[in-house]
């Protein structure tokens, strides 16, 4: 069942952002952002360069995933979001968050609104979940701002935590608890 959030653009026209499961027919739209170096530079994705690669990713990662949503404008995929609760019994209290928005839609509050919808939804759906966390490259200021706007706390710096594009890189760790106030 898709979930919808009404938002207003600067002209006060009401626009509907929807979160829904991925479909194979999203492949071309998926390639629009997963094939764009401006988007992938801060992610773990290799930049895709064909519709077939997009189709495989949707088939193998998005569709089987327990919470991977297409962020849509008028049902067209313009972004990607996942929230992955850990599987182990003693780690089910936390989940990892990730998201991207197609570059032509940046700066319109879409990631913030989509993530807010998903957060409300997952805390209802996964009853053991109390903590969401996101690890962000230190140079990724836009993503840090999205998390901060939603009330995530910056917990600290994870030094040389991941290999990003061949280089050991620092990450900031952010978290939001189910009991934290969310704007
Ligand atoms: C990060 C990303 C998802 C944000 O999407 P978005 O829809 O533009 O996000 P929003 O409009 O909701 O919020 C972005 C905020 O960051 C701010 N911002 C963007 N770039 C910035 C920068 N270089 N420095 C400081 N702030 C920046 C915007 O001004 C906005 O804040 P504001 O509302 O206070 O003005 C998008 O830029 C993206 O897909 N980036 C590449 C993939 C990525 O980094 N994913 C996250 C991996 S952790």
């Amino acid at each position: 069942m898709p979930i919808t959030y009404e938002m207003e653009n600067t002209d006060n026209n009401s626009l509907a952002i929807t979160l829904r499961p991925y479909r194979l027919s999203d492949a071309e739209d998926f390639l629009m952002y997963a094939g764009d170096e401006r988007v992938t530079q801060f992610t773990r994705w290799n930049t895709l360069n064909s519709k077939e690669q997009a189709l495989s990713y949707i088939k193998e990662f998005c569709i089987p995933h327990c919470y991977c949503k297409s962020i849509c404008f008028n049902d067209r995929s313009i972004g990607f979001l996942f929230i992955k609760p850990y599987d182990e019994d003693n780690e089910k209290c936390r989940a990892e968050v990730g998201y991207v928005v197609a570059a032509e839609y940046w700066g319109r509050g879409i990631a913030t609104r989509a993530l807010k919808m998903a957060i409300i939804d997952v805390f209802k759906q996964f009853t053991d979940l109390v903590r969401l966390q996101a690890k962000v490259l230190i140079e990724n200021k836009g993503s840090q701002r999205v998390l901060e706007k939603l009330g995530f706390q910056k917990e600290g710096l994870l030094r040389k935590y991941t290999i990003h594009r061949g280089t050991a890189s620092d990450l900031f760790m952010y978290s939001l608890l189910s009991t934290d106030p969310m704007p």
Side-chain angles (χ1 to χ4, degrees), residues 108-168:
R108 298 166 69 174
I110 291 172
T112 308
R113 287 161 194 264
L115 188 54
K116 183 171 179 177
M117 277 195 283
I119 290 169
I120 293 167
D121 197 30
V122 291
F123 279 137
K124 280 190 202 145
Q125 207 176 115
F126 299 95
T127 49
D128 292 322
L129 198 60
V130 289
R131 171 191 166 93
L132 297 177
Q133 65 182 43
K135 303 193 215 59
V136 188
L137 288 164
I138 55 172
E139 55 273 35
N140 192 353
K141 303 292 183 206
S143 182
Q144 290 164 43
R145 177 80 188 121
V146 168
L147 296 168
E148 283 161 12
K149 283 195 287 182
L150 288 170
F152 278 72
Q153 287 186 24
K154 190 192 268 185
E155 292 183 329
L157 182 70
L158 303 171
R159 296 184 302 159
K160 306 297 177 207
Y161 191 86
T162 194
I163 306 284
H164 182 69
R165 308 268 161 124
T167 305

